[in-house]
């Protein structure tokens, strides 16, 4: 088993954005659709970068997905909760954080 320090975790809060949870997401039915950003480089996506992206556009919601995607909006469309453990993909830019998962979006408000 790995030590707890090596296990990436969901950041509970960034500025005034708090973690709502892990939700189902799919290409055909996005939960957040207003805008998006992808950063899969070595200094890539983090929950902080996604929240900053949402703040720049004055969006209410920020969601990270598959480690490198950030989705934002003011409405959550047909958001179905998923198990927290489904959001287990390490953020591209910070290996101590999780950034959603495959077809799983981790949303902050």
């Amino acid at each position: 088993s790995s030590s707890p320090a090596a296990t990436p975790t969901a950041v509970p809060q960034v500025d005034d954005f708090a973690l709502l949870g892990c939700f189902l997401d799919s290409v055909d039915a996005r939960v957040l659709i207003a805008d998006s950003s992808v950063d899969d480089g070595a200094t890539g996506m983090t929950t902080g970068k996604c929240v900053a992206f949402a703040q720049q556009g004055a969006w209410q919601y920020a969601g990270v997905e598959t480690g490198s995607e950030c989705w934002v909006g003011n409405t959550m469309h047909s958001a179905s909760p998923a198990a927290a453990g489904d959001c287990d993909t390490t953020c591209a830019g910070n290996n101590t954080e999780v950034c959603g998962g495959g077809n799983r979006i981790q949303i902050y408000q």
Side-chain angles (χ1 to χ4, degrees), residues 63-80:
V64 283
E65 187 166 352
T66 62
S68 59
E69 298 174 5
C70 174
W71 297 83
V72 296
N74 286 331
T75 305
M76 287 174 62
H77 300 270
S78 54
S80 301

Side-chain angles (χ1 to χ4, degrees), residues 1-60:
S1 68
S2 59
S3 65
T7 305
T9 57
V11 175
Q13 185 151 352
V14 181
D15 289 340
D16 56 349
F17 279 64
L19 177 63
L20 295 183
C22 184
F23 296 86
L24 303 178
D25 199 34
S26 72
V27 174
D28 296 328
R30 293 283 180 201
V31 175
L32 298 173
I33 61 174
D35 201 359
S36 64
S37 171
V38 177
D39 189 348
D40 55 8
T43 60
M45 190 56 64
T46 64
T47 43
K49 281 186 181 180
C50 187
V51 165
F53 180 70
Q55 288 170 326
Q56 285 165 9
W59 300 109
Q60 292 180 39

